[in-house]
Amino acid sequence: MSIYMEKNRRTKQSIQKSFMRILENKSFESITIGDITKTAKINRGTFYLHYKDKFDLLDQIEQQLFADLGNHIDELQSRYSSIHTLKKEQEQLAAKLFNFIEMQSPILKIFLSDHGRAGFHIRFRDAFSEKVHYNLQKNESFIANLKVPMEYFLSFITSAFLGLIEQWVRNGLDKTPHEMTAIYIDIIFFIQNNLEPMPTSNANTVKDLL
Amino acid sequence: MSIYMEKNRRTKQSIQKSFMRILENKSFESITIGDITKTAKINRGTFYLHYKDKFDLLDQIEQQLFADLGNHIDELQSRYSSIHTLKKEQEQLAAKLFNFIEMQSPILKIFLSDHGRAGFHIRFRDAFSEKVHYNLQKNESFIANLKVPMEYFLSFITSAFLGLIEQWVRNGLDKTPHEMTAIYIDIIFFIQNNLEPMPTSNANTVKDLL
DNA sequence: TAACCACTAAACAATATGTTGAAAATTGAG
DNA sequence: CTCAATTTTCAACATATTGTTTAGTGGTTA
């Protein structure tokens, strides 16, 4: 029994691996089942024993990625609860998240590019956003201070963070996770320090940008 | 001569219109040339007289959208130069940008969804980012104060802004452009007021989120 | 009138799809 | 070792889509 499962698993893995390899040079749209099975050196019919179609294949890879992301964030946040008073620790947590992205960067680089599937960035952001939202809800003083609808705040902040990630991945990971954390914090501070606090000011401000 | 051009233009427009209508109910990937020409009630061969393939069709619609966006931002920024000292005017400018998004929301809603084409959000952000970058470069004091690489700052701020737009469009434009401007400014102020300015602080801060 | 242009209609080879049925290879249990 | 179960292979199938082509229609221009 277990050897059958093992064999089944190996074939699925082979299909996924071949699929991802092809995806580096060819867009999802233009990839055929034949491309995949030729690369994986299996019969075309075998593919259909494991997946309904190529969308099903991509879905399963996506689901795995989101599950991994969720677990990683959960782990970070449980650790965060006990030591959330230290800035150093916060930086470590952000760095760990960038570290996760670094680990998954081969997949993310493809999925976020035009070789991937439409809407991935939204599904990715939603998965991320859900975790952040869950954590924010525990913080009563935060909720009390927030004047704008939560979903808009979440869209803003998670998109900003994922924007950094996208740029990082696109740049071929030209920074360490630690450096990325510093950039993230620097930008937040920059927005803080370059905003005009009073409506009558006319200094160069972040709001001037948009 | 001009009647030929007019007929040509009408047919192209009919193709684009049919294409966008189908795109509301069917993903770009699954749409066939036959779907488009049946809806537009033209011969399938006629499609190929106007477009190389369906990617070319989408490209041209995208290019038009980006050109419109660029022109709109340019117009805003030229007006901005003369009156950039007043907060009210800044809000008006942001509102005008949200207004443009509102106008284009039928297209954006589709292109940003999973019915669109992979990588659209990146191309859209790049088009937006280029305009913001161009404007920022003129501001010497801004450049001098910025410690992080420009491309990362641009990714952060444009992604955040487009995150708001995505949420807004997804919500079926549940706010007015004016309200969206208020939300944008409120979030910036919220980040400003809820950030810990000193590394030793332990209050609930925005950096706690990530 | 004659050349021109946008479009139609129908056919074409080539390729991909998803499914099927029979057989081969591998593994498990007796 | 043998037989049954399981996974995969192989080849064939109808169907659909692609991009191209060739011939022809009707209106336009010069």
Side-chain angles (χ1 to χ4, degrees), chain A residues 144-155:
Chain A
N145 286 336
L146 189 64
K147 295 286 186 297
V148 300
M150 173 62 92
E151 60 180 354
Y152 280 105
F153 180 77
L154 281 173
S155 292

Side-chain angles (χ1 to χ4, degrees), chain B residues 74-136:
Chain B
D74 287 345
E75 183 204 324
L76 290 175
Q77 293 188 334
S78 64
R79 194 186 308 182
Y80 154 81
S81 305
S82 55
I83 49 171
H84 73 293
T85 51
L86 295 172
K87 179 167 178 286
K88 283 257 175 190
E89 289 296 334
Q90 286 183 34
E91 286 186 11
Q92 272 188 13
L93 294 178
K96 286 236 169 189
L97 192 49
F98 277 113
N99 210 63
F100 172 76
I101 301 297
E102 189 181 42
M103 278 167 41
Q104 302 284 356
S105 75
I107 289 186
L108 286 174
K109 189 179 185 126
I110 293 169
F111 280 10
L112 287 169
S113 77
D114 55 1
H115 279 193
R117 187 174 167 197
F120 172 78
H121 81 287
I122 291 180
R123 296 188 290 278
F124 186 53
R125 199 192 64 192
D126 284 349
F128 183 47
S129 199
E130 187 192 325
K131 291 294 172 182
V132 173
H133 185 204
Y134 178 77
N135 194 251
L136 280 183

Side-chain angles (χ1 to χ4, degrees), chain A residues 94-96 98-100 102 168 175-182:
Chain A
K96 286 236 168 189
F98 277 114
N99 211 61
F100 173 77
E102 189 180 43
W168 186 37
K175 312 278 181 195
T176 65
H178 190 260
E179 286 170 331
M180 286 306 296
T181 307

Side-chain angles (χ1 to χ4, degrees), chain B residues 148-167:
Chain B
V148 300
M150 175 61 93
E151 60 180 354
Y152 280 105
F153 180 78
L154 281 173
S155 292
F156 184 95
I157 199 69
T158 57
S159 294
F161 196 76
L162 293 181
L164 281 186
I165 289 174
E166 277 183 10
Q167 189 65 45

Side-chain angles (χ1 to χ4, degrees), chain B residues 44-56:
Chain B
R44 197 167 65 85
T46 306
F47 177 91
Y48 292 103
L49 296 175
H50 294 273
Y51 300 99
K52 189 176 163 288
D53 49 32
K54 67 175 179 174
F55 298 93
D56 184 32

